[in-house]
Amino acid sequence: MAKSPEQEHPKKAFGWAARDTSGVLSPFKFSRRATGEEDVTFKVLYCGVCHSDLHMTTNDWGMSIYPLVPGHEMVGEVTEVGSKVKKVKVGDKVGVGCVVGACHSCENCTNDLEVYCPDMILTYSTIYHDGTITYGGYSDTMVANERYIIRFPENVSLDASAPLLCAGITVYSPLKYFGFAEVGKHIGVVGLGGLGHLAVKFAKAFGAKVTVISTSISKKEEALEHLGADSFLLSRDQEQVQAAKSTMDGIIDTVSASHPILPLIELLKTNGKLVLLGAPEKPLELPVFPLLMGRKTVAGSATGGLKEIQEMVDFAAKHNITADTELISMEYVNTAMERLAKGDVRYRFVIDIGNTLAATKP
């Protein structure tokens, strides 16, 4: 007879979970495994709310396992370490991102690309090595193998740094891999949301010239004055688009809604690269001729491996890069999800787990 989530493991845990495709989250008692010799246990203090949490709670992608505790941008303080753990000690500030397991033997794993491992185990709503469901960071405690633990410097703001574990690495990785992280490169950033605003910050820190590309003129002042972009391109204005053709070395496209990519391809210089980070529900139309005439590339990118995530966090700390966040209580999370679905957040919700979760216990 299968054990209940509360009885599967020895460590008592508490969080909020969705029980079905309604996506509605409510208090949920479950359990975490004991701290193994290579494990790190930490108290969760903050957890970012990612757009994928919204998709997963309602099973938009057809892969959700209920009950589902979302959250893969969790940060907190180490409370216990296994006997073989070398990376961190009790009291350290740490976090866990999108992945908590992989095969550790395939080509991707041996090249520090665990996120592309065929046997990758997601931080929540996936079956772990022991056959139990993984549960995410909308909870009071977390246990993970030290390989998947990210260290945070003492001087950083943990709540504003939590979104780096998904949104941050999702833009940092392609900036580095595709050669955009160079002084003088001209980089376009499409969409000024949770990913886009961090793409601007990282690209500027690398010394690139940044143009924010948006359908909304209301984003112009924010892009230029607050985020420090060099220019703003209103994609609905054909004169502006025409003037900007063949001027960009690369474009980071963060938009998840269906949208035409031909105008973006035309903004690229010869050998330019358009990197898609959003995941539209319907396939995009890919015009091939403009690619041929400029030896241009359309590519995609996920998050990043553990080594690169640590590199990104350290780079962010050095350059004072954090997400622009709205700190919310655990009780507010369902309202936050409704607002997120409408794009009503600037730019990332972060749940104050440490100060507000316990009060919601039944």
Side-chain angles (χ1 to χ4, degrees):
M1 184 175 175
K3 293 182 178 179
S4 70
E6 202 172 353
Q7 298 171 324
E8 282 179 331
H9 301 293
K11 287 182 181 288
K12 298 299 181 188
F14 174 69
W16 277 44
R19 305 323 203 273
D20 53 45
T21 56
S22 71
V24 174
L25 295 155
S26 58
F28 174 63
K29 291 180 180 179
F30 64 107
S31 55
R32 299 279 191 194
R33 70 177 184 268
T35 307
E37 58 184 16
E38 297 180 357
D39 286 339
V40 174
T41 297
F42 65 94
K43 177 184 179 182
V44 180
L45 298 176
Y46 302 100
C47 188
V49 178
C50 179
H51 212 278
S52 58
D53 296 343
L54 181 59
H55 287 297
M56 288 293 287
T57 55
T58 53
N59 198 27
D60 289 348
W61 296 331
M63 56 188 281
S64 301
I65 304 172
Y66 298 99
L68 187 151
V69 177
H72 56 210
E73 297 178 344
M74 70 188 92
V75 292
E77 186 175 301
V78 177
T79 55
E80 187 179 9
V81 297
S83 59
K84 292 185 178 180
V85 170
K86 299 176 181 177
K87 186 187 287 189
V88 296
K89 63 183 184 305
V90 172
D92 284 354
K93 291 181 176 179
V94 298
V96 163
C98 302
V99 180
V100 292
C103 77
H104 302 170
S105 60
C106 70
E107 185 177 358
N108 286 321
C109 285
T110 54
N111 285 304
D112 299 307
L113 292 170
E114 298 91 345
V115 67
Y116 298 116
C117 173
D119 296 322
M120 169 194 66
I121 298 173
L122 296 174
T123 300
Y124 66 85
S125 199
T126 307
I127 302 301
Y128 196 64
H129 299 301
D130 61 7
T132 62
I133 299 171
T134 56
Y135 296 119
Y138 294 15
S139 60
D140 56 3
T141 187
M142 181 65 185
V143 183
N145 182 286
E146 75 165 328
R147 179 170 181 153
Y148 299 91
I149 295 290
I150 303 300
R151 303 181 306 277
F152 282 83
E154 275 299 317
N155 62 335
V156 304
S157 170
L158 273 189
D159 55 332
S161 296
L164 296 178
L165 292 170
C166 177
I169 187 59
T170 299
V171 297
Y172 180 92
S173 184
L175 283 169
K176 290 292 295 287
Y177 180 79
F178 291 101
F180 301 165
E182 296 178 15
V183 175
K185 291 283 188 180
H186 184 189
I187 306 304
V189 175
V190 187
L192 203 57
L195 295 180
H197 89 288
L198 284 170
V200 174
K201 293 185 180 188
F202 276 113
K204 287 299 296 179
F206 285 129
K209 175 187 175 183
V210 179
T211 296
V212 169
I213 304 166
S214 177
T215 58
S216 174
I217 191 65
S218 64
K219 298 288 182 74
K220 182 175 182 178
E221 183 179 351
E222 178 78 2
L224 301 177
E225 302 300 325
H226 176 66
L227 294 173
D230 298 281
S231 56
F232 180 87
L233 176 60
L234 183 64
S235 57
R236 297 182 190 277
D237 187 324
Q238 289 307 308
E239 282 189 24
Q240 288 188 32
V241 172
Q242 195 67 31
K245 282 186 176 180
S246 304
T247 63
M248 300 181 189
D249 297 289
I251 295 175
I252 297 289
D253 185 346
T254 69
V255 176
S256 291
S258 294
H259 60 291
I261 61 173
L262 174 59
L264 301 177
I265 293 170
E266 292 179 335
L267 294 175
L268 294 170
K269 296 177 182 177
T270 299
N271 299 322
K273 304 177 183 75
L274 168 63
V275 184
L276 306 175
L277 304 183
E281 292 179 10
K282 296 180 181 178
L284 299 178
E285 186 175 328
L286 178 64
V288 175
F289 194 68
L291 299 181
L292 305 180
M293 297 311 294
R295 199 163 63 181
K296 299 174 183 179
T297 302
V298 177
S301 183
T303 55
L306 277 302
K307 182 179 179 181
E308 191 174 40
I309 296 173
Q310 187 64 63
E311 174 192 304
M312 177 272 306
V313 166
D314 294 340
F315 181 90
K318 181 179 178 181
H319 293 273
N320 297 313
I321 296 173
T322 54
D324 290 14
T325 62
E326 181 177 333
L327 194 62
I328 62 171
S329 69
M330 192 70 246
E331 281 189 319
Y332 188 77
V333 70
N334 286 308
T335 302
M337 289 290 192
E338 292 173 7
R339 286 179 54 193
L340 183 59
K342 301 172 188 172
D344 177 24
V345 56
R346 182 181 171 275
Y347 286 98
R348 204 74 161 181
F349 287 119
V350 174
I351 307 169
D352 188 351
I353 299 287
N355 290 314
T356 68
L357 176 64
T360 68
K361 280 190 177 181

